[in-house]
Amino acid sequence: MMNYKELIAKLDRNSLPNHIGVIMDGNGRWAKKNNTTRLNGHKKGAGAVREIVEASVEVGLEYLTIYAFSTENWRRSKQEVHGLLKLIMNTLMQEIDELTKNNIVVKFIGSPKGLSQSYYDQIVENCRKSWNNTGLNLNVAMNYGGRQEIVEAVQKLVSDYSINKFQAEDIDRSLIQKYLYTDNIPDPDLLIRTSGELRLSNFLIWQSAYSELWFTETLWPDFNRQEFVQAILDYQMRQRRFGAAK
Ligand code: FPP
């Protein structure tokens, strides 16, 4: 395999994806393989997040959205849920100053339902430090589920409709988009999923209608910047083939 610098040099800077979404799967299997706890798998996974965020800045990506905790993850053991939420919050608190220094804008997207008010307040309080930045937009999908997102969008939309904010015939795709958590975020061009599962698992289901999908057998804690750039290179190959076929 080529090294990171060589891979970066091969990128076509004029056809970078604007937005990459990542389903970080395989922390549990990595833990099993390495004879350690699932929580240690998630911790190692947080290290891979750091590497991928750094690579995104180096590549000049505009939007990176990572699936950190889904609305379905509440079904895991109390211990794992607690550990995962604590890891995400601690990582945010530890890293926010460095993220901010690197001109990154950090935003959490997901449902406020089920998260305690104090978690929610801490998230906003920390993320806010980065909101005047202009570099990479890092979206952390937390308590996120695509169907739940659509449910909440419909609730707000119907509520606005009932106070005559718009007429039924004004409802179109762009109006619906405005009610999603991803209002003002472009659709992902490329979705990456690790650990060999070939599913979207309720991630950005409205937004990914035209996304290119890229899968790898690598377990998330082992995912690295070389593979990340390789995914972008493969995406660029697909783009070129698409152009040639027209
Ligand atoms: C999937 O692996 C991964 C998750 C449910 C959590 C992802 C979270 C992190 C990588 C932690 C760090 C995040 C941030 C934002 C700092 P799995 O547990 O489903 O793995 P398995 O399918 O092998 O069991």
Side-chain angles (χ1 to χ4, degrees):
M1 202 178 186
M2 263 185 266
N3 72 36
Y4 179 60
K5 285 235 161 70
E6 290 167 333
L7 287 165
I8 288 256
K10 277 180 68 184
L11 284 173
D12 176 357
R13 299 282 169 165
N14 297 316
S15 71
L16 285 176
N18 268 325
H19 182 181
I20 299 180
V22 187
I23 303 174
M24 313 183 285
D25 196 12
N27 296 346
R29 274 160 286 169
W30 183 91
K32 199 164 186 185
K33 214 174 97 184
N34 290 276
N35 255 313
T36 184
T37 61
R38 293 182 61 84
L39 197 55
N40 278 335
H42 296 312
K43 283 187 182 155
K44 183 85 164 86
V49 170
R50 188 175 228 284
E51 181 160 336
I52 268 44
V53 169
E54 283 172 7
S56 297
V57 170
E58 276 157 9
V59 162
L61 190 70
E62 284 188 56
Y63 293 87
L64 178 71
T65 302
I66 56 174
Y67 205 0
F69 190 89
S70 81
T71 46
E72 286 70 39
N73 285 152
W74 294 107
R75 285 192 232 137
R76 298 186 175 198
S77 75
K78 242 195 175 137
Q79 190 192 9
E80 185 175 353
V81 167
H82 180 75
L84 204 42
L85 293 178
K86 218 171 98 186
L87 173 65
I88 295 167
M89 294 306 299
N90 286 347
T91 307
L92 173 66
M93 290 188 289
Q94 278 161 23
E95 303 290 340
I96 191 66
D97 289 337
E98 206 192 331
L99 291 164
T100 302
K101 253 198 292 177
N102 284 285
N103 201 21
I104 297 171
V105 183
V106 187
K107 210 172 144 185
F108 273 53
I109 59 168
S111 175
K113 288 185 189 122
L115 271 191
S116 73
Q117 188 66 35
S118 82
Y119 266 135
Y120 191 80
D121 292 345
Q122 272 184 60
I123 289 169
V124 174
E125 196 185 301
N126 279 281
C127 290
R128 185 178 282 140
K129 299 182 186 170
S130 73
W131 289 348
N132 286 326
N133 283 340
T134 55
L136 173 71
N137 291 278
L138 172 63
N139 304 310
V140 181
M142 161 85 156
N143 198 22
Y144 176 88
R147 289 183 172 174
Q148 182 60 23
E149 176 179 35
I150 293 171
V151 167
E152 289 174 25
V154 172
Q155 286 173 345
K156 275 185 264 158
L157 201 136
V158 169
S159 154
D160 283 353
Y161 174 78
S162 72
I163 56 167
N164 295 314
K165 278 208 177 170
F166 49 78
Q167 305 292 306
E169 52 282 12
D170 297 329
I171 300 173
D172 58 10
R173 281 164 287 199
S174 76
L175 185 75
I176 292 176
Q177 200 133 336
K178 288 197 179 70
Y179 283 86
L180 299 174
Y181 309 139
T182 52
D183 175 32
N184 292 321
I185 299 173
D187 289 340
D189 304 291
L190 170 62
L191 284 188
I192 294 173
R193 183 174 189 148
T194 57
S195 92
E197 308 292 343
L198 309 179
R199 293 188 289 279
L200 287 183
S201 297
N202 210 8
F203 186 53
L204 301 176
I205 51 175
W206 167 282
Q207 298 86 342
S208 65
Y210 292 99
S211 304
E212 293 290 333
L213 308 179
W214 192 90
F215 299 101
T216 173
E217 293 286 329
T218 305
L219 304 173
W220 177 253
D222 291 327
F223 192 74
N224 61 19
R225 55 189 191 165
Q226 284 90 328
E227 221 180 343
F228 184 68
V229 176
Q230 188 58 56
I232 303 175
L233 286 167
D234 290 349
Y235 163 85
Q236 293 188 327
M237 288 296 291
R238 292 189 203 175
Q239 291 298 88
R240 288 195 196 109
R241 266 195 223 125
F242 184 72
K246 266 205 291 192

